[in-house]
Structure formats: structure tokens, C-alpha cells
Amino acid sequence: MRRLVSIAIGVVAVTTFAFPLPAHAEDREELIVERIHSDLPLYTFQWDDIWPRGFSSDDGFGCVSRVGFGDWRFTPADGEDGEEWWERYSNYGVFHCAAIIQTAEEQAELADGQLEYGYFVLIGKTRLGSKKWELWALQKGTVPGSEYVLLARESGLEDLVDSFRVLQRRCPPGKLRQTRGLDVWSTRYCSIDSRADLLTLARRMLRRPSAGTITRVAKPDEGREAED
């Protein structure tokens, strides 16, 4: 099985960001991308399919990931007016595994982009028509709780993940939280506090038009690929 292994160690500050919201097109369904938050992280290393995660063998130890590290470009869905933007995924270290996420509008700005810790989680699988799909979530942050981006990819592709469909995030009835009275400052978010609810939402969102795709732009000096 192909893996991407990194042994870089770093210490970073954590800030938050939200994925850009694609513009509304009058002749198409409006794309909705709510902020999804759980009071506590829904997935830990007790979940088999959370990446990056630690490994050890006779040859050494470190962090291993099914999702490729490097620079990733978001491209809006065909016909949408949203702009492209970039994320850089790198490994935190060899003793404590996590993805460092940097976000910027331009690839050249990624080194100074906003920083956050997170994990890629394969949360389940489903079928849509004749195709089988893997449903993923990018779980960001740990305190107070985590935020989630819903992703999907077709099953049966290469093990090293280098592209995702970015799904909409339409909040289920009764899950929306917000208050008034803070002028222009938004308090709105979608409260999802169980793995079952997140998986159900991801299955529903797969059936709607996606917000776009995010794809890895490989560089030869970013990590190394290894065979298990």
C-alpha cells in the first residue's frame, strides 16, 4: 500500500479559517457551505482511518498518511463564480502526528498563510448510481471542539489520495446555532455532535452539486513515498 511519510518536526501557532463560499448563480441551485462544529473532536486515533497517524517497524517510526502532503489547489465547480485558492498540508512531527494546514489566496503566499492543525478522516462509504464513493472529512482543531469540511472521492483509486470533491455543507433541521445582537459579526454555525450525524450529512451532500475540487500539485521535495 502506498503511503506518504514525513519526518519533519515543527511548532506552529493555531488560527482558524473558513472555506470560501462560492457565489450564487441565478440559474443554478445555490451552493451552501455552513461552518460545521462539534463540541469535542468526533474522531481520535482509536478510529482506524484517521491520517496522519503514527507507525513503527523494525526500520524506524514516524507518521504516515493516506493523503498526500504538499500544495493543493481548490477549483470551483464548473459554471460557479468562486475564485481559486490554495492549501498546504505538511506533517507536524514524528512523535506527535497531525497535519499542519496553511491557507492562502495564492500559492506564493502559502508560507505566510493562516495555520491550523487537523486530520483527514475516512468516515464511511456509499454508492451513488453505479459508482462507489469514499466519504471523508477534514477535522480541524481540538479545543473547543473541531470543525469539519466534507470531502468525497471515488472508491478504487490509488491509495495515495491527491484529489477530493469538496461537498456542500447544508445544515440539517434543528442543528443551526446562532444569536443576534453583535452587529455584523456572525455567530452562525451547524452543530453536529455525533459520527452518525456527520456521515448522514455527507451522504446527503454527495447527492447535491459539489462546491468544487481540491487537487494536490505535487512537488518532488515534499516528503517521500514509501511502500508498506
Side-chain angles (χ1 to χ4, degrees), residues 8-140:
I9 298 178
V11 179
V12 298
V14 180
T15 58
T16 60
F17 70 92
F19 276 34
L21 187 66
H24 173 58
E26 295 298 333
D27 57 345
R28 292 183 299 275
E29 175 186 275
E30 182 180 8
L31 297 182
I32 297 177
V33 186
E34 297 280 7
R35 183 187 297 269
I36 297 176
H37 178 80
S38 64
D39 290 342
L40 291 171
L42 299 179
Y43 301 92
T44 68
F45 290 126
Q46 294 177 333
W47 186 262
D48 289 339
D49 287 309
I50 184 171
W51 311 96
R53 63 185 301 124
F55 80 94
S56 62
S57 67
D58 293 339
D59 298 325
F61 64 92
C63 298
V64 62
S65 179
R66 275 197 62 193
V67 178
F69 298 137
D71 293 356
W72 290 60
R73 179 174 59 211
F74 173 79
T75 304
D78 291 343
E80 294 301 329
D81 298 327
E83 296 181 357
E84 291 186 350
W85 46 274
W86 290 81
E87 288 197 333
R88 177 171 292 167
Y89 305 136
S90 54
N91 186 53
Y92 174 74
V94 294
F95 295 102
H96 307 291
C97 303
I100 300 173
I101 305 161
Q102 294 173 273
T103 305
E105 294 182 358
E106 302 289 342
Q107 185 178 19
E109 300 171 352
L110 280 170
D112 298 319
Q114 299 182 61
L115 296 172
E116 194 161 12
Y117 294 130
Y119 296 92
F120 291 91
V121 188
L122 175 58
I123 64 173
K125 298 181 179 180
T126 192
R127 180 186 292 273
L128 182 61
S130 61
K131 294 182 179 180
K132 295 180 180 179
W133 291 83
E134 295 178 351
L135 297 172
W136 289 72
L138 175 54
Q139 176 175 278
K140 301 180 297 178

Side-chain angles (χ1 to χ4, degrees), residues 112-180:
D112 298 319
Q114 299 182 61
L115 296 172
E116 194 161 12
Y117 294 130
Y119 296 92
F120 291 91
V121 188
L122 175 58
I123 64 173
K125 298 181 179 180
T126 192
R127 180 186 292 273
L128 182 61
S130 61
K131 294 182 179 180
K132 295 180 180 179
W133 291 83
E134 295 178 351
L135 297 172
W136 289 72
L138 175 54
Q139 176 175 278
K140 301 180 297 178
T142 57
V143 177
S146 299
E147 294 187 5
Y148 295 87
V149 177
L150 300 179
L151 308 166
R153 68 190 293 262
E154 288 188 42
S155 296
L157 302 176
E158 290 291 330
D159 282 325
L160 183 64
V161 180
D162 59 8
S163 183
F164 286 111
R165 176 185 291 191
V166 181
L167 303 182
Q168 293 190 56
R169 301 195 292 275
R170 293 172 172 259
C171 196
K175 297 292 186 178
L176 191 63
R177 302 290 302 278
Q178 64 179 333
T179 190
R180 307 290 184 182

